[in-house]
Amino acid sequence: MPLAIDVSFAFQADQPTDVLLHFEGAMIPEQNHLRHHTDLSPSPHIARLPAQDAIGERVWIRAEGRFEVGYSAEVAVDRLLTPLGGLRQMDPHTLPEDTIKYLFDSRYCAAGQFHSFVDDEFGDLTGGKLILAIHDWVADHFTYVPGASGPNTTALDSFVERRGICRDYSHVIVTLARASGIPARFVSCFAPGVTPQDFHAVAEVFLEDTTTPGGGAWYLVDATGMAEPADIVKIGVGRDAADVSFMTSFGLTEFLEKTVSVKQTG
């Protein structure tokens, strides 16, 4: 069922400031854009460039004064929806080159600090069974609390506090998967079940692809329970939230307002 997406936000820059935006649904094979439109305030510089792993686009803009962004789209999602439980974990030496960076520690996801916890908590589980166990552990032990975390909160902070928002849930899943030897990345996205409506974040793990002998594929995981893979529109992917912020300012700006609406059209 197609999803109707409507986004608007605005910010203020008192002097010329470079800002990197990343807010549109990615135009990738699993996401068919039936319509899409973006409005940006006038700017002396607007440039598009591919986002990480060629999923989505970033937009450089040069802003001064009030800057407004509007985006609307209707997107039909058609992706691989294989149950995770039967999927094998790939040996590190068989992984595609572009997945290897998602085994390493990153700014918010210090996987190296969680090896002992993963061994003690999940025992001999591997592959999809392990990912499901990690999902269930996070869902059972964390409480979704808007405002409980901030832009500097790491997976370790969230693990200690046992509360947070979608960003924090995703960081913990990514961290525990990497600590288990499974490539995992952070996904910014839209989904209709998010409450309150906003940009959303989920994790994505790399396991075997049963449709391609010897191959692997990425699978979405959301421990908040608010988004299902069939209804998720990816915006971008990265090592953690730092790679996929919808707005990164390289100077002083004041964020003014934001609205996000995601609805099933049927």
Side-chain angles (χ1 to χ4, degrees), residues 26 32 36 38 72 93 150 192 199 216 232:
N32 179 24
H36 61 94
T38 296
S72 65
H93 74 275
F199 292 100
I232 289 174

Side-chain angles (χ1 to χ4, degrees), residues 89 110-127 129-131 133-135 137-138 159 171-182:
Q89 182 170 334
Q113 300 182 35
F114 285 86
H115 292 304
S116 296
F117 173 79
V118 167
D119 290 342
D120 292 343
E121 184 69 30
F122 304 111
D124 296 329
L125 293 175
T126 62
K129 288 185 174 64
L130 172 59
I131 295 301
I134 290 173
H135 168 281
W137 188 91
V138 175
F159 180 82
H171 278 158
V172 174
I173 289 180
V174 165
T175 300
L176 296 180
R178 290 179 188 169
S180 307
I182 297 174

Side-chain angles (χ1 to χ4, degrees), residues 118-230:
V118 167
D119 290 342
D120 292 343
E121 184 69 30
F122 304 111
D124 296 329
L125 293 175
T126 62
K129 288 185 174 64
L130 172 59
I131 295 301
L132 291 176
I134 290 173
H135 168 281
D136 292 346
W137 188 91
V138 175
D140 291 343
H141 288 81
F142 277 58
T143 302
Y144 194 92
V145 182
S149 61
N152 295 317
T153 301
T154 68
L156 180 57
D157 296 328
S158 301
F159 180 82
V160 172
E161 293 292 331
R162 303 290 170 90
R163 60 180 183 166
I165 58 173
C166 58
R167 172 189 187 275
D168 309 303
Y169 280 63
S170 301
H171 278 158
V172 174
I173 289 180
V174 165
T175 300
L176 296 180
R178 290 179 188 169
S180 307
I182 297 174
R185 62 190 185 186
F186 186 95
V187 181
S188 62
C189 61
F190 297 111
V194 175
T195 305
Q197 277 280 286
D198 206 338
F199 292 100
H200 193 46
V202 300
E204 198 168 38
V205 298
F206 195 82
L207 297 168
E208 72 165 327
D209 179 0
T210 57
T211 68
T212 305
W218 289 101
Y219 300 90
L220 295 162
V221 183
D222 183 14
T224 70
M226 292 193 291
E228 295 293 334

Side-chain angles (χ1 to χ4, degrees), residues 38-138:
T38 296
D39 283 315
L40 300 173
S41 291
S43 168
H45 179 84
I46 297 177
R48 290 181 171 271
L49 62 158
Q52 190 145 308
D53 293 355
I55 295 178
E57 288 186 329
R58 297 183 176 117
V59 185
W60 273 117
I61 60 100
R62 184 77 165 168
E64 184 174 11
R66 180 182 172 92
F67 195 93
E68 298 180 350
V69 177
Y71 169 69
S72 65
E74 186 174 359
V75 183
V77 179
D78 182 18
R79 66 168 46 93
L80 186 67
L81 298 174
T82 305
L84 296 185
L87 298 179
R88 292 185 302 106
Q89 182 170 334
M90 299 180 69
D91 293 327
H93 74 275
T94 68
L95 290 168
E97 185 277 331
D98 59 355
T99 68
I100 294 173
K101 61 180 175 287
Y102 296 115
L103 288 172
F104 301 146
D105 287 4
S106 59
R107 177 176 176 180
Y108 296 112
C109 301
Q113 300 182 35
F114 285 86
H115 292 304
S116 296
F117 173 79
V118 167
D119 290 342
D120 292 343
E121 184 69 30
F122 304 111
D124 296 329
L125 293 175
T126 62
K129 288 185 174 64
L130 172 59
I131 295 301
L132 291 176
I134 290 173
H135 168 281
D136 292 346
W137 188 91
V138 175

